[in-house]
Amino acid sequence: MGGLRGDPRGWWERGRALSAANPLVVDIGIALLVQGAMTMPFVVPRAAGLPPATWGAYGLSTLTALPLVWRRRAPLAVLFAVLTANALYGLAADGPGQPLPYTGLVVVYTIAALSPARKRLVTGAVLLVAVPVGVWLNTRSARELTFSLIVFTAAYVFGRLTDARQRANRVEAEQAAARERARIAREMHDILSHAVSLMIVQAEAGPVAVRAAPERAEAAFDAISATGRDAMTQLRRMLGVLREGDDDSAAPREPQPGLTELPALLDRVRAGGLDVTYGTSGDVRPVPEAVAATVFRIVQESLTNTVRHAGARTVAVQLTYGSSDLDVRVTDDGHGPRPGRGGRGHGLAGIRERAAAHGGSAVAGRGADGRGFEVRVTIPVPAAAEVAR
């Protein structure tokens, strides 16, 4: 918060937050601000020959500003109250004039920003009558009439612009929420699909191993337990950021898994009986955390597809570091894509979305020699110096 003290944008954002949380307090503040502006002609020295500024006239000026407290709840009623109070001030009190019709401008802005089209049309019709009448009661000059029409039109335009900006902000917030829901759904799909697939494979191999090789059965059950614990840890890690005010020990918020967690992931897959090889080439260097998490999820989902669909015995994971990108390949020796299933459901779609989010691309299909299945993803990555900076 200390960094916002001298930042006008920070003050503006905090003001918007206050307005949303306490609209009545803000409206009272606006009414007081308008009253302060209307007070100035009463306290500055007046030229000789002009009538004195009386307390009665000041009281009537206060009466014109008081309705602004209810400007959001009943804007049309406030408009008529302000017009009536101004007419009473002009007819019954010979007080100082105001350089601007403050109260009327605030009400017109409010109606333009918050009210539906029908109320805006009523406001326009009322002003087309009220403004010329007010000018006739005051100076009867074309200059004042032109000035009044310009300032009221400007207030209406600013109100409509505010409404348009608020609508755009709401649409943007809804789109951001939808993207976040899709991201969470994709993360949960990857975590649960991977864990459940491995646990099923290991559980199915368990009864056979119990009869043939009891030591392998024990290892399979240990792998099931480790896979389940890892899935629970990742779910708590992901969902912890959604919990407001929870204790950190109950909702850990460690970073998402990255490239350093890949060996442990491959070990869990090996425990299910699949022969997994892993290699890197090129100038191995650190990558941004977001890219590392994406690569981990891509490899995880690719291995899940291999376990569930491929009927493979071996799978190779290869990371190739280029000068400006990172190439990820996951290749198995299974039966390859089945006819009519160029993509394997939501998993490959999620891989493509993850790659596209970083400006990369993803392709999937038969391996280079026409056998098995291969997932290849290319993601742009900055140089090591840029990552460190």
Side-chain angles (χ1 to χ4, degrees):
M1 296 297 293
L4 294 177
R5 290 179 180 175
D7 184 5
R9 186 173 182 179
W11 283 104
W12 174 257
E13 294 298 331
R14 284 194 285 178
R16 289 179 58 187
L18 174 65
S19 176
N22 304 282
L24 180 59
V25 174
V26 174
D27 291 342
I28 292 174
I30 290 176
L32 292 175
L33 183 64
V34 170
Q35 181 60 37
M38 295 174 62
T39 301
M40 297 304 297
F42 287 87
V43 297
V44 297
R46 294 176 59 76
L50 293 177
T54 64
W55 284 106
Y58 185 72
L60 285 177
S61 72
T62 302
L63 190 62
T64 65
L66 183 61
L68 295 180
V69 175
W70 297 275
R71 68 186 184 96
R72 298 177 199 252
R73 283 174 284 182
L76 272 184
V78 170
L79 174 64
F80 286 109
V82 166
L83 291 176
T84 302
N86 279 320
L88 184 62
Y89 181 86
L91 294 173
D94 191 12
Q98 298 290 337
L100 284 171
Y102 300 105
T103 54
L105 294 178
V106 172
V107 177
V108 170
Y109 169 85
T110 302
I111 293 175
L114 303 179
S115 297
R118 180 176 58 84
K119 290 186 178 181
R120 298 199 303 268
L121 288 175
V122 172
T123 301
V126 171
L127 290 179
L128 286 177
V129 176
V131 170
V133 170
V135 172
W136 184 82
L137 292 175
N138 189 24
T139 63
R140 303 184 183 182
S141 68
R143 181 178 180 180
E144 182 183 358
L145 177 61
T146 303
F147 176 76
S148 298
L149 292 175
I150 290 175
V151 295
F152 276 112
T153 301
Y156 181 85
V157 170
F158 285 139
R160 296 307 302 150
L161 291 176
T162 299
D163 177 66
R165 185 178 68 248
Q166 291 173 346
R167 289 175 183 269
N169 290 341
R170 286 194 295 268
V171 170
E172 183 179 355
E174 291 171 358
Q175 292 175 344
R179 289 193 297 268
E180 185 66 9
R181 287 194 297 268
R183 185 192 69 81
I184 293 174
R186 189 165 56 240
E187 294 283 345
M188 294 188 68
H189 168 272
D190 290 352
I191 294 171
L192 295 176
S193 178
H194 176 77
V196 172
S197 296
L198 291 183
M199 293 169 72
I200 290 174
V201 170
Q202 293 156 354
E204 289 176 343
V208 177
V210 167
R211 294 188 295 269
E215 67 280 359
R216 288 184 56 195
E218 183 177 352
F221 294 138
D222 289 341
I224 291 173
S225 176
T227 300
R229 285 195 301 270
D230 179 73
M232 291 300 298
T233 299
Q234 292 192 51
L235 286 174
R236 285 197 301 268
R237 178 187 298 167
M238 182 185 68
L239 298 177
V241 298
L242 302 179
R243 298 177 180 175
E244 296 288 342
D246 282 3
D247 182 66
D248 288 342
S249 61
R253 300 187 181 187
E254 295 87 354
Q256 288 290 311
L259 299 183
T260 56
E261 283 77 14
L262 274 180
L265 171 67
L266 303 183
D267 287 340
R268 290 194 297 273
V269 177
R270 291 189 187 102
L274 190 63
D275 183 14
V276 183
T277 62
Y278 174 57
T280 61
S281 61
D283 181 18
V284 178
R285 60 185 186 276
V287 300
E289 291 183 1
V291 173
T294 293
V295 171
F296 179 92
R297 294 300 184 201
I298 287 173
V299 173
Q300 182 184 56
E301 179 58 30
S302 299
L303 293 174
T304 301
N305 285 340
T306 297
V307 171
R308 294 176 60 185
H309 305 297
R313 291 178 297 177
T314 64
V315 61
V317 178
Q318 179 71 29
L319 304 186
T320 302
Y321 291 81
S323 59
S324 60
D325 56 30
L326 175 61
D327 186 82
V328 183
R329 294 194 186 192
V330 181
T331 309
D332 62 51
D333 63 352
H335 50 61
R338 297 176 182 176
R341 292 192 64 184
R344 297 182 183 178
H346 297 291
L348 289 180
I351 289 175
R352 295 188 184 97
E353 291 172 1
R354 289 181 185 279
H358 296 280
S361 60
V363 293
R366 290 192 178 275
D369 57 357
R371 298 174 53 193
F373 194 80
E374 180 179 77
V375 175
R376 180 175 180 179
V377 176
T378 303
I379 298 178
V381 295
E386 295 182 19
V387 175
R389 184 167 59 249

